[in-house]
Amino acid sequence: MSIDAVTAPVNRSSEGAPVDHEVVVIGAGMAGMYQIKRLMDLGVDALCLERDADLGGTWYKNRYPGARFDSESYTYGYSWDRELLEEWHWVERFSPQPETLRYLNHVADKFNLRDKIRFNCGVTAMTFDEDGPLWRLTLTDGSEMTCRFVLTALGVLSIPTYPKIEGMESFQGPAFHTFDWPAEPVELKGKRVAVIGTGATAIQAIPEIAKEAEQLVVFQRRPNWAAPLNNGLISDEEMADIRRRYDEIFAQCRRTAAGFEHDADRRGFWNVSREERMELWDRLYDGPGFGIWLQNFLEIFLDEAANAEFSEYIADRIRQRVKDPVLAEKLIPKDHGFGIQRVPLETNYFEAYNRDNVTLVDLTETPIECITPTGIRTTAGEMPFDIIVYATGFDAFTGAFDRIDITGANGQKLRDKWADGPVTYLGLLVSGFPNMIMLAGPQIAATNFPRAIEPAVDWATDLLEHTWATGHNRFDTDAAAEQAWVDDVARGYSLVLSGRAQSWITGYNSNLSGHEYGKTRYNVYQGGAPRYMAKIQSVKDEGFSGVEFAG
Ligand SMILES: Cc1cc2nc3c(=O)[nH]c(=O)nc-3n(C[C@H](O)[C@H](O)[C@H](O)COP(=O)(O)OP(=O)(O)OC[C@H]3O[C@@H](n4cnc5c(N)ncnc54)[C@H](O)[C@@H]3O)c2cc1C
């Protein structure tokens, strides 16, 4: 950027064909809320469009029993307002969904964010018009809106996936995805409940449903590794200490690969004795949160032999917790090691299977044949149910983009460009889709989400400011810079064991959007948050290298 551009008063709008709004932000979750706050502070004509009836995204939708953070609450909250940090008391170390939603509403009220959010307003199509230049948005009510710049804050886990089982629509009782768990209380007492799926959501929900339901049957396709959350209340004294340490806490989150306080043990797996390894694992297993995953030896992520030894340690823990040894073996994953997929954290998940009212159906032995009006039929016979819960995960990372008909310059469809997986520059821009910035989209660093969301929003805001300051109205990233980034992301997959996992990291579920099953999709940047943050900072310091400005 030239000295003149820096010192010139910035006109926070651009020249070109008239538009309804200079900036539209799509989505009012953690990312969209912070973005609209930044734009409001700058006095930009901006509007946030949200398809739901209220804000909060993930924390507005997922109301199933047991829904809560795996991130320490105080590392998850927004870091950008000192007063907010001072006044908010996180009640639990791992906040439950209702409290997090209360927090987000508090933020919205404090900063009057609702003034700039239009609810019940989904975006169904977006077309770039070179003549403006501008984006034409089609909304769920069929109306159109134009804007110069679009910032997508669509969420990476905002499109639930349902299984494809014959007869699903014939079931006569309540049946819903955990994402769509009703806001009004669901009576589970005296009910026969089926839960289909054993991913992170199911692992949170099953122990809670088991406490209430008369009978709970869990249908498992593949078991997942899981480890104790070790949640607890945060006392007034502890919260006061957290408030004193906030700068230190966020600095530590910036230093670590995954944006948490937890940092890897760098002694070297093979440099310490088996006894020392066991001592570390015993301590981490009883400690809070992702410590068991992220404070472990780095070799867990890289070295199959190290991973196998640690996986066997966790398998033994499961064997100790599940009374029936045959059942315990069914709950131990055999097709992947611990930590190769995102680790679900649990509270009494394994103990739930010791209850008389809980049964596991192993779908590798007795697959589901169909859903009937009154229950579920497997190859072993029919089981009657009052409620069916689909805990079947998400069309992760690209699902929300696929649900919008996005047409860029020269008529190219984003869906086509991403047919084999996302292709981006820094996870923020897509070549051929000018004036569009993705906040928390595919190929940003895999972290404690807000710790990547905030830098992404700040980077996007700086890019807009740079565009305005330099008198431009159009930017796009060049294809070579984009390809270099995609190559970097792909290289990361080749270095870590998780690059070969059957998980949302590799797009295992994306076939539900019509993509080819089993083909690796490079959904996240796995090179660690510090390297990612250094990269986007250097791009910015170079006046947004790899980005072409026009207009
Ligand atoms: C059950 C669960 C637990 C989680 N726990 C953690 C955790 O402990 N730690 C962590 O770091 N992350 C966690 N996550 C990830 C979580 O999604 C992020 O932390 C964070 O909430 C993402 O914020 P976001 O604003 O990017 O997306 P979201 O919260 O998903 O918000 C996206 C918004 O965009 C809206 N939207 C989408 N498409 C359109 C459209 N076409 N038109 C208009 N609006 C649209 C959606 O309605 C939604 O409101 C969890 C996710 C789930 C599902």
Side-chain angles (χ1 to χ4, degrees), residues 23-40 46-50 55-58 76 78 80 104 107-108 111 113-114 116-119 151-156 437-441 450 453-454 456-458 460-461:
V23 182
V24 164
V25 178
I26 311 176
M30 278 297 281
M33 286 174 61
Y34 177 41
Q35 183 63 74
I36 203 69
K37 160 80 173 110
R38 290 280 337 250
L39 294 168
M40 284 168 77
L47 187 66
C48 179
L49 307 179
E50 168 54 56
L55 51 78
T58 292
Y76 186 98
Y78 288 122
W80 39 263
L104 291 174
V107 174
F111 300 106
L113 302 187
R114 280 194 179 77
K116 292 287 178 185
I117 305 175
R118 188 183 294 176
F119 294 107
L151 307 190
T152 62
L154 306 176
V156 296
I437 315 177
M438 299 180 296
L439 312 168
I453 285 173
E454 289 182 3
V457 168
D458 291 338
T461 310

Side-chain angles (χ1 to χ4, degrees), residues 182-257:
E184 58 281 4
V186 176
E187 182 60 60
L188 297 171
K189 268 208 166 37
K191 297 284 167 41
R192 298 161 302 178
V193 181
V195 170
I196 300 180
T198 51
T201 294
I203 284 171
Q204 288 187 332
I206 283 166
E208 298 301 317
I209 298 173
K211 282 189 223 162
E212 298 286 321
E214 180 182 308
Q215 189 204 354
L216 168 61
V217 180
V218 179
F219 292 83
Q220 173 182 274
R221 183 181 60 167
R222 295 167 67 219
N224 264 289
W225 294 102
L229 177 67
N230 293 318
N231 190 21
L233 295 176
I234 299 180
S235 66
D236 288 349
E237 297 74 49
E238 198 186 342
M239 197 60 225
D241 181 55
I242 288 167
R243 287 197 188 99
R244 260 193 307 277
R245 292 191 303 108
Y246 261 130
D247 288 344
E248 198 186 304
I249 289 169
F250 291 127
Q252 170 69 358
C253 292
R254 280 194 294 275
R255 274 193 293 272
T256 61

